[in-house]
Amino acid sequence: MVVSRSRTLFLLVFCFWIPLEVVFGRTGPSPTSVNSSVSSRPKVVKFGALFTLNSFIGRSAKPALLAAVHDVNSSTSILPGIDLQLILHDTNCSGFVGTMEALQLMENDVVAVVGPQSSGIAHMISHIVNELHVPLLSFGATDPTLSALQYPYFIRTTQSDYYQTYAVADFVDYYRWKEVIAIYVDDDNGRNGISVLGDALSNKRARISYKAALPPEAKESEISDLLNEVNLMESRVYVLHVNPDSGLRIFSIAKKLQMMVNGYVWIATDWLPSVLDSLDPVDADSMEILQGVVAFRHHIPDTDSKKNFTSRLKSLKDKETESFNSYAFFAYDSVWLAARALDAFLNDGGNISFSNDPRLHDTNGSMLQLSSLRTFDGGYQFLQTILGMNFTGVSGQVEFNKERNLVNPVYDILNIVGSGTGRIGYWSNHSGLSVSPPESLHMRKPFNSSSIGNQQLHGVIWPGESATTPRGWVFPNNGQPLRIAVPNRVSYKEFVGKDKNPPGVQGYCIDIFEAALNLLPYPVPRQYILYGNGERNPSYNELVEQVAQNKFDAAIGDVTIVTNRTRIVDFTQPFMESGLVVVVPVKEKKSSPWSFLEPFTTQMWCVTGAFFLFVGTVVWILEHRLNPEFRGSPKKQIMTVFWFSFSTMFFSHRENTVSTLGRLVLILWLFVVLIINSSYTASLTSILTVQQLSSQIEGIDSLISSNQPIGIQDGSFARKYLIDELNVAESRIVTLKTMQDYIDALQRGPSGGGVVAVVDELAYIEVLMSSADCKFRTVGQEFTKSGWGYAFQRDSPLAVDLSTAILQLSESGDLQKIHDKWLSKKECTSIDVDSDKLALTSFWGLFLMCGIACAIALTVFFARVFCQYNKFNPETNNDDVEVQPVKSRRTSRTPSLKNLIIFVDRKEAEIKEMLRESKKRRRNKSLDQHCISSST
């Protein structure tokens, strides 16, 4: 390649000129400076300019540089009294020539160099300016690997391709493309730019599927061969990162190859706008070729200074180009940047002086005049001054961040339509993709690069004059059918199996796949290939590996999505949920004469019985004084309490309650009885109808802890899972090929040479239990959560489209219809081995509530009785009350317990009548005493 050969020649020549330590950087102390020339305020200052004059960038940059020098010399505020001279050297688009020109330029004691435009040449020249301490201000070298660490005197006065590649990645992610093909020139700028693009796309979970490199001076035949090669690939999104002087030829050849039609996406970097802006107006033939192309251009704010500068350049009579591209603005600002920095450097006391380096000397007979190359003594201070500058130029804000890149990188996103270009949006590292000018968004919060939801662009007209966004890919090899592997199962053929009729396969999984393909907006040519010998189920891990190794394009069937498989292939959205379960045989449970006692625990029975008696007693106390049905002989009273208590269990009590407190207690108790009766009935029904396990296996934990054999399906991932994840001994695992093998092994059991349980996915087990007339049951819960999906090669866009189609099938109900067609059979309920008898812990809240209510009712009742008793004095009513107080040692005023009991036992009506009579006698007695007093 030309650039590589030029670099080799440069290194050979440079090695003859300078000792090796100079080429790779100085070591040790600085050499002693000799023949130093010092000028505190020189009359003339020389700048160098180094770029290819006869190029799209060079023809725009040259008049801009000359205009900048003229404006600086005309300014009274910048470098007053100093004449700025610009020395132009042509690199002629050659690394070797550029190096020679740079060495010649340095003989003129320049304090700064503007250029070059080529990143490859910039790599070489940066070594020279590093040694001579002369800042290199490049307005065209966009290679992101030109770092400040390796090249401290390199200053990029344009935007780095680092930002442009991230802009392209955001654009690709905006349209949800996952693969692109990069076409680039195989030089430093091309390789390094595409390398950064790959990193940017990986952050968006996309990738460069193929890197198509072109020689720097590629012939038409080489371009045609390369385009034919990429046209046979899957991706239809092309990112074109080439040189401005040769890029249009690629589009011309692509047009001839029918690659500029509907379905293709062409994304060009800033080289294309540089060409088009320099050819204003562009000829109609070129615009016809470029229809639908999307391109990125450096954003130059629409300011008055930009408009005036553009008008001024276009008015030049001796200009070498019809118009000017963005590099003219950066070149103009580069000169002003160096001039402003030099003015500040001199004002701060800096001196422009150059010193000879003793290591640079002429060898015997050499004509290279190495001694004429001198080091700029104030170069480091001048460099720091340049990096600290901050002003607004015609290209926008000129300010450097800590990586020495211009702040606020912004790109216009253009769409070539008709006879011109239309701007569909902007990109900046602050706001991402937007339709508003980035200058108006700088005050807002920076966008989140991980989310594209708030990004916006105007509509795009794609190649072929289509407004519909291309899907970005086609089937490779010009539409050859997909090679789809289908497991050739010998069991559970309801899911997938061989069929005599085309397409040769059938089953639940196949119908869902076909229904999903019918929802895609494009045809999918396919060829089903049975995988397996038909004598036993194939290994699904091996099947997935075959897809990953490109022996098949996809695997369709009951393929479980597990971790080790997702590492090598892409799965669609699961179309069926399925996890591993444990299956055991069951037998009918024999009825027991005492089964009716099993619903409740002993404690529950005792507490319930005690509460029946307690509530009955409370109601009797509350009703005894008011209700005749709760009065009578002691024997009758006891029978009433027992009858009333237990008859409430069946809501058949015949005694009425008349007291308010009694009714409240009874209502609450009947609610408690209702809950207890309902729970008892449900539990007893379950006990009398449930089936019993024929083994002690109650779930995966008890299965692992046992030492009995476990059955698994042939080809299932369950074998690896049990061994690797659950540490089950391999000797315990028995492989079962068919459904009948399942049934026989479970019915024989471990003692008969069978298995104690089977571990398999729930989808298979449901079919097994239905086919075996519910003789088996699952125990415990699913101990893995997974699903079935279709496996495709990594980064296959068809996996994404099919996932969307499967979701549509689910939302429309078609997924359930297909399920009912193939799998709708008798359902068998699972066994809950954890069910226990109903204990007091489930009802203590009800009993507590009822007990509190009874206590409150009794408290209110006895408080009322004591109030009545205090108003009644037995000693004053000897004539009327049949029972006299019992004589004792206590004071006659002290009421006896017997009197209280007799008082409580009386009817409420009698007590009220006695209280009325007592009150009447006290009133008469008071009147008699009053009359006697009056007479006396």
Side-chain angles (χ1 to χ4, degrees):
M1 297 182 294
V2 175
V3 175
S4 299
R5 291 195 296 268
S6 300
R7 180 176 295 182
T8 303
L9 291 173
F10 157 72
L11 292 176
L12 290 174
V13 174
F14 206 62
C15 289
F16 284 108
W17 279 354
I18 308 173
L20 287 178
E21 63 267 24
V22 179
V23 176
F24 295 101
R26 297 180 179 180
T27 58
S30 302
T32 304
S33 299
V34 295
N35 297 332
S36 176
S37 60
V38 180
S39 177
S40 59
R41 194 76 182 182
K43 298 296 183 181
V44 177
V45 176
K46 297 177 183 179
F47 282 3
L50 200 63
F51 56 92
T52 301
L53 299 179
N54 186 24
S55 64
F56 282 106
I57 295 178
R59 287 190 291 268
S60 290
K62 179 181 177 181
L65 292 173
L66 297 176
V69 172
H70 177 269
D71 292 345
V72 170
N73 289 330
S74 301
S75 175
T76 58
S77 59
I78 302 298
L79 297 178
I82 298 179
D83 183 27
L84 180 61
Q85 293 183 1
L86 184 68
I87 303 174
L88 288 173
H89 278 254
D90 189 0
T91 61
N92 200 24
C93 198
S94 169
F96 179 75
V97 174
T99 303
M100 299 299 103
E101 295 293 333
L103 291 171
Q104 294 179 18
L105 181 63
M106 294 302 174
E107 295 176 355
N108 297 292
D109 290 342
V110 294
V111 297
V113 177
V114 178
Q117 71 192 55
S118 168
S119 298
I121 299 176
H123 277 278
M124 298 181 180
I125 299 177
S126 293
H127 290 285
I128 299 175
V129 298
N130 283 351
E131 282 299 323
L132 301 181
H133 297 176
V134 177
L136 177 65
L137 286 69
S138 177
F139 59 85
T142 58
D143 182 358
T145 64
L146 285 165
S147 67
L149 294 177
Q150 184 180 7
Y151 308 113
Y153 284 86
F154 173 83
I155 303 173
R156 196 194 321 271
T157 57
T158 185
Q159 296 295 349
S160 169
D161 276 345
Y162 173 87
Y163 299 109
Q164 181 173 211
T165 55
Y166 274 82
V168 173
D170 281 346
F171 182 81
V172 170
D173 185 55
Y174 180 82
Y175 290 102
R176 302 187 183 281
W177 297 315
K178 294 302 180 183
E179 290 186 358
V180 303
I181 292 178
I183 303 175
Y184 62 99
V185 175
D186 193 15
D187 57 12
D188 289 337
N189 184 57
R191 284 191 302 271
N192 297 329
I194 295 304
S195 177
V196 177
L197 176 62
D199 296 337
L201 288 173
S202 65
N203 292 338
K204 302 295 182 180
R205 302 192 66 179
R207 70 185 185 102
I208 299 176
S209 61
Y210 183 72
K211 296 180 180 180
L214 284 168
E217 300 294 335
K219 301 177 182 179
E220 285 195 10
S221 60
E222 293 174 319
I223 298 175
S224 180
D225 291 342
L226 184 140
L227 292 180
N228 276 317
E229 181 181 358
V230 300
N231 197 32
L232 296 176
M233 298 178 183
E234 187 176 81
S235 178
R236 283 292 182 265
V237 181
Y238 303 119
V239 177
L240 196 57
H241 187 56
V242 295
N243 296 326
D245 299 278
S246 59
L248 288 180
R249 289 191 301 156
I250 297 176
F251 283 115
S252 178
I253 297 173
K255 181 76 172 180
K256 296 178 182 178
L257 297 177
Q258 298 296 312
M259 297 177 66
M260 301 294 295
V261 296
N262 189 15
Y264 288 82
V265 178
W266 287 90
I267 303 172
T269 53
D270 64 287
W271 69 267
L272 181 57
S274 299
V275 174
L276 299 181
D277 291 342
S278 302
L279 298 176
D280 188 19
V282 186
D283 63 275
D285 293 338
S286 297
M287 293 303 295
E288 178 65 24
I289 294 174
L290 299 173
Q291 292 299 299
V293 174
V294 174
F296 288 76
R297 178 178 65 189
H298 297 115
H299 174 71
I300 307 297
D302 291 327
T303 59
D304 293 336
S305 59
K306 172 191 174 183
K307 296 176 183 178
N308 295 334
F309 178 66
T310 303
S311 177
R312 176 182 170 190
L313 290 181
K314 289 185 177 181
S315 64
L316 297 176
K317 296 181 180 180
D318 56 346
K319 61 182 179 180
E320 300 176 6
T321 181
E322 295 87 346
S323 187
F324 299 89
N325 53 43
S326 60
Y327 290 98
F329 301 97
F330 293 118
Y332 181 83
D333 284 344
S334 298
V335 174
W336 269 100
L337 172 64
R340 288 174 180 269
L342 183 61
D343 185 64
F345 169 75
L346 295 175
N347 292 336
D348 289 341
N351 293 322
I352 298 178
S353 61
F354 297 85
S355 301
N356 291 331
D357 190 336
R359 294 176 301 174
L360 302 178
H361 59 275
D362 298 330
T363 58
N364 294 332
S366 173
M367 303 294 293
L368 297 178
Q369 299 181 357
L370 298 181
S371 59
S372 62
L373 300 177
R374 301 195 299 172
T375 302
F376 182 18
D377 296 331
Y380 180 77
Q381 182 183 353
F382 183 39
L383 172 68
Q384 299 304 315
T385 304
I386 292 175
L387 295 175
M389 298 304 296
N390 184 1
F391 67 96
T392 301
V394 294
S395 63
Q397 184 179 5
V398 180
E399 181 185 359
F400 298 96
N401 57 24
K402 61 181 180 180
E403 288 84 18
R404 298 190 182 184
N405 291 317
L406 290 176
V407 298
N408 300 328
V410 181
Y411 287 88
D412 298 332
I413 305 177
L414 309 177
N415 183 209
I416 301 176
V417 182
S419 59
T421 59
R423 185 161 49 200
I424 61 174
Y426 305 88
W427 180 92
S428 73
N429 67 332
H430 179 84
S431 57
L433 301 173
S434 67
V435 294
S436 301
E439 293 82 8
S440 64
L441 303 177
H442 284 161
M443 298 304 295
R444 297 184 182 179
K445 183 179 179 181
F447 83 113
N448 183 3
S449 61
S450 63
S451 174
I452 204 72
N454 58 346
Q455 306 294 282
Q456 292 182 350
L457 288 176
H458 292 303
V460 179
I461 302 300
W462 306 99
E465 299 182 358
S466 173
T468 302
T469 302
R471 69 176 186 267
W473 65 277
V474 295
F475 295 104
N477 302 324
N478 288 329
Q480 290 186 1
L482 285 176
R483 301 161 299 168
I484 300 177
V486 178
N488 190 10
R489 296 189 58 90
V490 297
S491 62
Y492 297 109
K493 294 186 177 181
E494 298 91 341
F495 297 105
V496 61
K498 184 178 180 181
D499 188 18
K500 297 180 180 179
N501 301 320
V505 290
Q506 64 174 357
Y508 169 72
C509 302
I510 302 301
D511 282 5
I512 293 179
F513 181 69
E514 290 288 337
L517 290 181
N518 292 334
L519 294 178
L520 299 183
Y522 50 86
V524 180
R526 53 198 177 277
Q527 176 187 3
Y528 293 108
I529 304 172
L530 289 171
Y531 182 80
N533 55 18
E535 297 179 359
R536 58 181 299 180
N537 294 334
S539 171
Y540 280 58
N541 285 334
E542 295 178 0
L543 173 60
V544 172
E545 290 175 0
Q546 296 283 318
V547 175
Q549 295 171 6
N550 197 27
K551 295 182 179 179
F552 298 105
D553 296 311
I556 306 303
D558 48 342
V559 183
T560 306
I561 304 173
V562 292
T563 303
N564 64 316
R565 296 173 184 173
T566 58
R567 294 191 179 104
I568 57 176
V569 297
D570 285 345
F571 281 94
T572 63
Q573 170 80 16
F575 59 87
M576 171 174 270
E577 300 295 332
S578 184
L580 290 178
V581 293
V582 178
V583 181
V584 296
V586 294
K587 62 181 179 180
E588 295 294 335
K589 181 179 180 181
K590 296 180 180 180
S591 299
S592 170
W594 302 101
S595 297
F596 68 91
L597 294 177
E598 294 184 12
F600 289 160
T601 61
T602 304
Q603 184 186 35
M604 180 65 181
W605 279 117
C606 294
V607 172
T608 302
F611 255 84
F612 271 107
L613 294 175
F614 173 68
V615 172
T617 304
V618 171
V619 173
W620 178 83
I621 293 173
L622 299 176
E623 293 290 321
H624 179 69
R625 305 182 70 192
L626 297 174
N627 196 339
E629 296 183 2
F630 287 85
R631 301 185 68 84
S633 63
K635 180 179 180 181
K636 180 182 178 182
Q637 297 297 300
I638 294 175
M639 292 300 299
T640 300
V641 170
F642 275 90
W643 165 256
F644 181 83
S645 298
F646 291 101
S647 63
T648 56
M649 180 185 300
F650 311 102
F651 305 99
S652 60
H653 52 283
R654 62 191 180 192
E655 292 81 7
N656 294 322
T657 53
V658 295
S659 68
T660 303
L661 294 176
R663 288 177 177 178
L664 290 175
V665 170
L666 182 60
I667 289 174
L668 187 58
W669 173 243
L670 292 179
F671 173 73
V672 175
V673 171
L674 175 64
I675 300 300
I676 293 175
N677 283 348
S678 301
S679 302
Y680 176 85
T681 303
S683 180
L684 182 61
T685 302
S686 176
I687 291 173
L688 295 178
T689 58
V690 74
Q691 290 177 317
Q692 187 180 30
L693 303 179
S694 59
S695 67
Q696 298 302 316
I697 301 302
E698 299 180 349
I700 185 62
D701 293 332
S702 58
L703 180 62
I704 295 174
S705 61
S706 68
N707 294 319
Q708 297 174 320
I710 304 171
I712 64 166
Q713 183 183 169
D714 189 17
S716 172
F717 76 99
R719 180 185 187 89
K720 182 176 178 61
Y721 182 84
L722 292 174
I723 296 174
D724 296 344
E725 303 295 333
L726 302 182
N727 298 320
V728 176
E730 189 173 0
S731 59
R732 293 180 56 193
I733 298 177
V734 179
T735 301
L736 305 174
K737 296 182 179 180
T738 65
M739 186 186 302
Q740 189 59 43
D741 292 343
Y742 276 49
I743 298 173
D744 294 342
L746 286 171
Q747 290 180 339
R748 290 198 308 269
S751 59
V755 296
V756 68
V758 166
V759 174
D760 207 347
E761 295 182 72
L762 181 60
Y764 302 116
I765 298 306
E766 288 177 346
V767 176
L768 170 67
M769 293 190 301
S770 178
S771 301
D773 198 21
C774 299
K775 294 180 180 178
F776 311 105
R777 292 289 190 276
T778 61
V779 291
Q781 303 295 325
E782 294 181 58
F783 55 92
T784 64
K785 293 293 184 181
S786 59
W788 292 352
Y790 302 128
F792 289 86
Q793 294 181 10
R794 294 302 298 268
D795 302 315
S796 172
L798 191 58
V800 178
D801 290 351
L802 274 178
S803 294
T804 303
I806 291 172
L807 290 176
Q808 292 177 0
L809 288 174
S810 178
E811 293 170 358
S812 64
D814 292 337
L815 204 62
Q816 185 61 41
K817 293 178 182 178
I818 299 175
H819 180 277
D820 296 340
K821 172 186 174 183
W822 288 96
L823 307 176
S824 180
K825 295 182 179 180
K826 180 180 178 181
E827 295 184 0
C828 301
T829 58
S830 61
I831 293 178
D832 185 6
V833 297
D834 298 325
S835 61
D836 296 323
K837 295 181 178 181
L838 296 176
L840 182 61
T841 55
S842 302
F843 301 94
W844 70 267
L846 289 172
F847 289 126
L848 177 63
M849 180 176 61
C850 184
I852 293 175
C854 291
I856 294 174
L858 290 175
T859 301
V860 173
F861 173 78
F862 283 110
R864 182 171 175 272
V865 169
F866 276 112
C867 288
Q868 291 177 342
Y869 187 72
N870 288 334
K871 294 179 182 180
F872 175 72
N873 187 0
E875 292 182 352
T876 61
N877 300 302
N878 291 338
D879 299 334
D880 300 321
V881 180
E882 298 178 357
V883 181
Q884 297 294 335
V886 178
K887 294 181 180 181
S888 64
R889 297 179 181 179
R890 293 178 299 174
T891 308
S892 61
R893 300 285 299 177
T894 303
S896 67
L897 179 61
K898 183 177 181 181
N899 289 339
L900 178 61
I901 294 175
I902 293 174
F903 180 80
V904 173
D905 186 60
R906 286 184 176 272
K907 295 182 180 180
E908 183 72 17
E910 294 178 2
I911 295 298
K912 290 182 178 179
E913 182 63 26
M914 293 169 60
L915 290 176
R916 283 195 298 269
E917 291 295 330
S918 176
K919 184 177 181 182
K920 183 177 179 180
R921 282 196 297 271
R922 285 196 299 269
R923 185 170 60 252
N924 292 337
K925 183 177 180 180
S926 177
L927 289 175
D928 291 343
Q929 290 177 353
H930 179 69
C931 292
I932 294 172
S933 299
S934 299
S935 301
T936 305

